[in-house]
Amino acid sequence: MIDKLFKHIKSTPGSFTFNEEVASVFDDMADRSIPCYREHQFLLAACALHYYKKNTLLYDLGCSTGNTIRAIEALLNQELYTYSFPSITAIDKSPAMIEIAKRKCSHLVVDWQIEDIKEVVFKPASVIIASYVLQFVSPEAREKMIADMYAALISQGTLILSEKIYWENTAFDTDMKTHYYNYKRIKGYSENEIKQKETALQKVLVPFKKEDYLNILSQCGFSTIEIIFSYFNFITILAIK
């Protein structure tokens, strides 16, 4: 379905939440709101499969409608890897998102869990994907979450972390936001849609600076920390234990 949630003017847009209404248009919303969204799914899948170890877990935190899992399947179908579909635990606190993901991935064996990722008790894993999810977690809880993920990863385990950020240089941050809003305009969003969604996301999506995440990852003990994707105010970091 086409994302028209903020097409009409609302007196109070309200706080953004991943309810049934959002879940029903999420794929279109993500494709038009997150730069290089489809290519990014390939990036996540490729890195996840490269670092995945047989007979271990792969976590997809904030799995939404299962697009990363479908990208993993698509790569495996190219017969570029010598192992079968990995053991994936997919977690999202939105029942509506999980329901759609289950339908899209009904032919795959996935452990679906409806849970707040702050409450997850991790089992040993070789890969954890956290794609645009920590930005919706309260800032004070993020460091502990990353520490918990580090503790769960086996030796040489990998965290793939994607986040919307803000830049410390205020003028540069303004420039990046301008470019990003132009990107959304090109994708067909109106001025009203852009403004209303921004209002709805205030205090719901709270970005960190790039340096904040790099420092936390380093303090938690990750030995390799590299930015593997950057586009305006969106980044992906690959961190190896």
Side-chain angles (χ1 to χ4, degrees):
M1 292 179 61
I2 303 299
D3 173 22
K4 299 180 180 179
L5 297 185
F6 297 96
K7 192 170 185 65
H8 302 292
I9 296 175
K10 303 177 183 178
S11 56
T12 54
S15 296
F16 187 89
T17 181
F18 291 100
N19 54 23
E20 290 184 7
E21 189 179 32
V22 169
S24 68
V25 299
F26 177 80
D27 287 355
D28 181 67
M29 177 186 291
D31 190 41
R32 296 164 64 204
S33 300
I34 301 175
C36 303
Y37 180 73
R38 296 183 185 183
E39 293 82 358
H40 189 253
Q41 298 309 305
F42 174 83
L43 173 68
L44 296 177
C47 290
L49 288 174
H50 179 78
Y51 291 101
Y52 177 73
K53 304 294 189 298
K54 292 181 181 180
N55 302 316
T56 67
L57 282 180
L58 187 160
Y59 279 97
D60 184 6
L61 304 181
C63 64
S64 64
T65 62
N67 291 323
T68 302
I69 295 170
R70 289 297 302 272
I72 288 172
E73 178 199 16
L75 269 185
L76 286 173
N77 286 341
Q78 298 300 313
E79 299 182 352
L80 300 174
Y81 302 88
T82 59
Y83 49 83
S84 57
F85 194 73
S87 298
I88 298 179
T89 296
I91 301 173
D92 203 292
K93 70 177 183 179
S94 168
M97 289 286 202
I98 290 286
E99 184 59 34
I100 293 174
K102 282 183 176 180
R103 292 201 299 267
K104 288 167 62 175
C105 304
S106 60
H107 57 297
L108 300 172
V109 178
V110 178
D111 177 18
W112 303 102
Q113 296 184 12
I114 301 173
E115 189 173 6
D116 188 324
I117 61 170
K118 296 195 302 296
E119 308 301 323
V120 174
V121 178
F122 290 101
K123 297 178 181 178
S126 60
V127 175
I128 298 176
I129 300 171
S131 181
Y132 302 121
V133 63
L134 287 188
Q135 61 199 28
F136 294 105
V137 173
S138 57
E140 60 273 12
R142 294 180 200 179
E143 185 169 355
K144 181 182 183 303
M145 275 211 65
I146 292 174
D148 288 346
M149 288 187 273
Y150 176 85
L153 288 168
I154 64 174
S155 177
Q156 296 297 302
T158 302
L159 169 63
I160 308 168
L161 175 66
S162 301
E163 287 288 291
K164 187 177 183 180
I165 62 166
Y166 73 94
W167 301 92
E168 190 166 18
N169 182 309
T170 304
F172 184 74
D173 188 60
T174 299
D175 289 344
M176 291 301 101
K177 286 180 179 177
T178 298
H179 296 320
Y180 174 54
Y181 292 148
N182 284 338
Y183 175 92
K184 295 187 76 170
R185 292 179 182 104
I186 291 170
K187 289 289 187 175
Y189 283 117
S190 67
E191 298 302 314
N192 180 63
E193 288 175 293
I194 293 170
K195 290 177 182 177
Q196 289 207 109
K197 187 175 181 183
E198 182 180 27
T199 300
L201 282 170
Q202 287 178 1
K203 298 183 180 180
V204 176
L205 190 165
V206 181
F208 273 2
K209 299 192 300 293
K210 171 187 65 178
E211 291 77 12
D212 293 331
Y213 283 116
L214 296 177
N215 289 337
I216 292 172
L217 291 165
S218 178
Q219 291 167 9
C220 285
F222 285 96
S223 60
T224 298
I225 304 168
E226 299 289 351
I227 296 173
I228 59 173
F229 173 84
S230 180
Y231 197 119
F232 299 148
N233 46 350
F234 294 79
I235 64 169
T236 295
I237 304 171
L238 191 147
I240 302 175
K241 185 172 181 177

